[in-house]
Amino acid sequence: MTDASLLAPVRSHVHRARTVDALAAIFDPDVNLAIWERPSVPVGALGGFGTIQMTTTVDRAHEELTSAFAQLPAAAWHADIAADIAVLTTSFAAIMALSHVVIRLERVVGDACKRWHADYVSVRLICTYRGSGTQWIERSVESPDVPVVETPQSLDAGAVGLFKGRVLAGEHAIIHRSPPIAGTGEERLLLVLDCPPPEETAALWASAMQRG
């Protein structure tokens, strides 16, 4: 028996599960992406949809989202999305021990942040309600003597990802990008939840608030 055969299997840096409990795995030191695999909330036409962005307390998230949607051309699906975002805000705040959350919901029609990168944040929640999901690089090791295999992967529509950034993971932060869709006619509806920035990282955080 060789030394290599005695090694424990290499753990994946991506944790997937079909319940919201999957998201708490983001604090595992070996995990830099936690995915809650779930179906998407149905979304209708996005024509006339503008960006919604706010910093809100968790208990007021649903009320403020409802008010923000009321400023847009009315659509039947707005109420369901507002309710879903409020639930995700509560879950994200509980995991990150937050009283306030930064919410951004936007229609994306071109190449947003198409370069592979890691965000200068602690943890960022990303969910694509419509269109292609955020892509990331999954790294796997078959054995100690074989080079790491890097494989592009994508979140499904509706799936919720907690992406660990450089503030917590340094060089081991998850590498990801927006799917390139310019010229395809595709539209995406993208949700990003962030922690409010502490003063010492405010400038870096602000520059990192790019589309996921």
Side-chain angles (χ1 to χ4, degrees):
M1 183 177 295
T2 66
D3 291 341
S5 65
L6 296 174
L7 294 175
V10 177
R11 294 184 59 195
S12 173
H13 64 101
V14 179
H15 178 80
R16 301 175 177 86
R18 296 187 180 277
T19 68
V20 67
D21 294 339
L23 302 181
I26 197 63
F27 286 108
D28 183 324
D30 295 324
V31 172
N32 60 10
L33 175 59
I35 302 173
W36 174 16
E37 297 177 328
R38 61 171 204 157
S40 186
V41 179
V43 172
L46 297 178
F49 191 90
T51 298
I52 293 175
Q53 184 161 331
M54 64 181 72
T55 299
T56 180
T57 58
V58 177
D59 59 347
R60 287 183 54 83
H62 187 258
E63 178 184 349
E64 295 198 20
L65 284 162
T66 300
S67 296
F69 274 109
Q71 306 305 310
L72 302 174
W77 54 269
H78 286 178
D80 290 338
I81 292 295
D84 191 66
I85 295 172
V87 170
L88 294 181
T89 297
T90 299
S91 297
F92 182 62
I95 291 168
M96 301 301 296
L98 303 172
S99 61
H100 293 69
V101 173
V102 181
I103 300 172
R104 175 163 50 90
L105 180 70
E106 66 177 330
R107 171 177 173 253
V108 180
V109 296
D111 291 346
C113 196
K114 67 177 182 179
R115 295 183 181 276
W116 295 106
H117 67 284
D119 294 321
Y120 201 97
V121 297
S122 54
V123 173
R124 170 171 285 172
L125 183 149
I126 299 176
C127 175
T128 303
Y129 286 108
R130 177 173 176 169
S132 302
T134 298
Q135 300 174 336
W136 80 91
I137 297 295
E138 185 157 14
R139 296 167 58 87
S140 60
V141 180
E142 296 297 331
S143 75
D145 301 323
V146 176
V148 172
V149 177
E150 297 187 340
T151 307
Q153 304 280 3
S154 298
L155 285 181
D156 292 333
V160 179
L162 286 192
F163 289 68
K164 189 179 289 182
R166 294 195 184 278
V167 171
L168 283 184
E171 293 303 311
H172 297 289
I174 187 69
I175 303 298
H176 64 286
R177 71 173 184 177
S178 295
I181 61 171
T184 66
E186 181 178 344
E187 295 181 308
R188 303 173 65 219
L189 183 62
L190 176 72
L191 171 69
V192 177
L193 301 184
D194 276 302
C195 309
E199 291 184 6
E200 64 271 20
T201 59
L204 288 168
W205 183 92
S207 65
M209 272 286 289
Q210 305 297 323
R211 297 184 178 98

